[in-house]
Amino acid sequence: MPVKLTAPDPASLLPIAGVRLGITSAGIKKPGRRDITLIELAAGSRVAGVFTQNRFCAAPVTVCKQHLDQMVQRGGDIRALVINTGNANAGTGEEGLRRARQTCEAVARLMGCATEAVLPFSTGVILEPLPVDKILPVLPAAQADLAPDHWSDAAHAIMTTDIVAKGASRQAQVGGRTVTVTGIAKGSGMIHPNMATMLGYVATDAAIAPGLMQQLVKDVADVSFNCVTVDGDTSTNDSFILVATGQAGNNEIDDDASADYAALKAALSEVAIELAQAMARDGEGATKFITVAVEGGRDHAECKQIAYAIARSPLVKTAFFASDPNLGRILAAIGYAGVMDLDVDTLQVYLGDVLVAEKGGRAASYSEAQGAAVMHEAEITVRVVLNRGPVNATVWTCDFSYDYVKINAEYRT
């Protein structure tokens, strides 16, 4: 079961002026499953995204990036997003690209916009053709369902192996106006975003200059979705999209050094971090939510490198599942992380508040009973203090249980 995670109250997911969502069923993988989401954006909305670095990226990722680039060059608006679950449309070659574009063309006809103003997204089984024969006929039903308060329905519709729908909202004061941020995401397994199978959509009614959108989405991704791992597998379909409709009435933010930019980034980051942590809490078969904090590094890269070495280790993750304080596995992960000039004699390792290692070995004050007590908790923090600089980094992950193997062994059946 997910670790201290429940689906958000639908009423807590605040509407965003200029965004409407419609959901319907195409029965892509399961009959009656609501697996198509259509998101309509008001004219003038700004859109930016970051995507998987996987070289085998899915057809919708390729098409989405092309459409974003084309609309930026034209100075045009993205008017719709279309999302399907049950099929990733990845590893499908030219035919996959054709089917992704065919879906965009059908949505464009319905919405009365250019094909390039539609962004496609898919998640599900890889190496299977996208069933456009099921998707295209139900798009009018998705359009008919469009409403500003369907965020919760959309959060459920984009799920694959997720057990819990993921959504969050915040409000903040920006330029003397109340701006709203709402986001949804899916992800439970094949989670190790390297952005630049998770999907994340965050929208705000704030007004922000188009030239700052790409920087803003990257800034937010770097403190949220790029800090979570379930199993170390970067999906072919990872996408994080940021939408700003500009309908809150604030003066357009055009300076990334301004207080307004900082306030908006903070609100967006809070939502994205909550969604990212929810993925680890809902990791396939997860029983523990684990925070890995690396402190006192020379730079962010080495802190992240060590944090991910710990968080991705199957041996570390299975020890957490067993509540076994086999802490040599953590030390080994630190040692093989690739920071070649790391002096292990100067660092400390903590499990919760318990000092477990220092001066290159086991801390004199540490007892197995202390470690076992921490390992039995549902939420655990591992702290590595490098003592070689001023930089910190945090990564979130989960344990590996028997159910992780079972879920993934049976994924296509």
Side-chain angles (χ1 to χ4, degrees):
M1 293 296 292
V3 184
K4 296 185 179 180
L5 179 68
T6 57
D9 179 352
S12 72
L13 299 182
L14 304 175
I16 302 295
V19 179
R20 297 197 302 161
L21 307 93
I23 300 91
T24 193
S25 171
I28 293 172
K29 191 174 180 182
K30 295 180 181 178
R33 166 84 160 84
R34 300 182 81 194
D35 49 14
I36 299 293
T37 301
L38 182 64
I39 303 178
E40 176 194 67
L41 307 180
S45 297
R46 313 299 190 193
V47 180
V50 285
F51 303 90
T52 182
Q53 302 273 329
N54 192 312
R55 295 300 301 161
F56 229 122
C57 71
V61 172
T62 298
V63 173
C64 188
K65 291 164 72 174
Q66 290 172 347
H67 285 187
L68 275 171
D69 288 345
Q70 289 166 0
M71 297 309 286
V72 167
Q73 290 170 8
R74 296 181 193 174
D77 300 335
I78 299 297
R79 299 301 308 278
L81 285 60
V82 58
I83 311 156
N84 75 268
T85 58
N87 183 292
N89 194 12
T92 49
E94 284 298 323
E95 181 61 19
L97 293 170
R98 188 187 71 81
R99 294 186 183 208
R101 293 183 179 115
Q102 188 178 356
T103 304
C104 292
E105 290 166 1
V107 171
R109 285 193 295 271
L110 283 174
M111 309 294 280
C113 64
T115 299
E116 295 78 12
V118 181
L119 304 182
F121 305 88
S122 299
T123 183
V125 177
I126 296 171
L127 218 63
E128 298 286 345
L130 184 70
V132 289
D133 57 322
K134 293 183 177 181
I135 294 172
L136 302 190
V138 305
L139 291 175
Q143 183 189 33
D145 189 57
L146 289 170
D149 59 351
H150 282 180
W151 284 95
S152 177
D153 290 342
H156 284 85
I158 64 175
M159 292 165 58
T160 50
T161 59
D162 308 56
I163 295 175
V164 175
K166 300 164 183 68
S169 286
R170 295 288 190 281
Q171 288 188 316
Q173 291 298 307
V174 176
R177 299 281 184 152
T178 299
V179 303
T180 303
V181 177
T182 294
I184 58 174
K186 61 81 51 182
S188 183
M190 195 181 274
I191 298 296
H192 184 73
N194 178 19
M195 290 188 290
T197 299
M198 69 137 274
L199 298 177
Y201 307 94
V202 176
T204 178
D205 53 5
I208 182 164
L212 288 182
M213 284 292 292
Q214 193 60 41
Q215 177 183 334
L216 184 56
V217 73
K218 185 180 183 303
D219 286 348
V220 172
D222 282 346
V223 299
S224 58
F225 297 115
N226 283 341
C227 294
V228 63
T229 183
V230 168
D231 45 24
D233 279 310
T234 297
S235 169
T236 55
N237 293 60
D238 290 340
S239 303
F240 170 41
I241 297 296
L242 175 64
V243 174
T245 65
Q247 298 196 13
N250 64 293
N251 292 329
E252 184 176 78
I253 301 168
D254 58 6
D255 180 2
D256 64 355
S258 68
D260 286 348
Y261 183 90
L264 178 60
K265 185 173 76 169
L268 292 166
S269 297
E270 282 186 21
V271 167
I273 288 170
E274 184 172 336
L275 296 175
Q277 291 183 352
M279 291 180 188
R281 293 180 182 278
D282 195 20
E284 291 169 338
T287 69
K288 307 279 179 67
F289 174 73
I290 303 157
T291 299
V292 182
V294 178
E295 305 169 5
R298 288 181 182 167
D299 56 47
H300 192 257
E302 73 174 20
C303 291
K304 269 296 218 24
Q305 203 169 331
I306 291 171
Y308 267 133
I310 298 167
R312 286 189 307 221
S313 166
L315 290 178
V316 171
K317 291 158 79 69
T318 51
F320 277 111
F321 171 61
S323 299
D324 176 15
N326 190 350
L327 303 179
R329 295 179 176 183
I330 295 176
L331 298 189
I334 295 169
Y336 68 60
V339 180
M340 302 312 296
D341 63 344
L342 183 66
D343 184 353
V344 299
D345 291 332
T346 63
L347 63 78
Q348 291 93 38
V349 179
Y350 291 82
L351 190 62
D353 294 327
V354 178
L355 176 65
V356 301
E358 63 177 344
K359 300 176 182 178
R362 179 173 177 145
S365 60
Y366 173 68
S367 71
E368 183 96 354
Q370 290 176 308
V374 176
M375 292 289 273
H376 276 87
E377 297 175 5
E379 300 190 31
I380 301 168
T381 297
V382 176
R383 286 178 58 227
V384 181
V385 184
L386 301 180
N387 292 312
R388 56 193 258 131
V391 182
N392 306 328
T394 300
V395 165
W396 307 290
T397 190
C398 60
D399 57 342
F400 267 167
S401 71
Y402 306 129
D403 283 343
Y404 178 85
V405 176
K406 186 174 188 294
I407 289 165
N408 283 282
E410 298 175 352
Y411 180 61
R412 297 205 315 155
T413 59

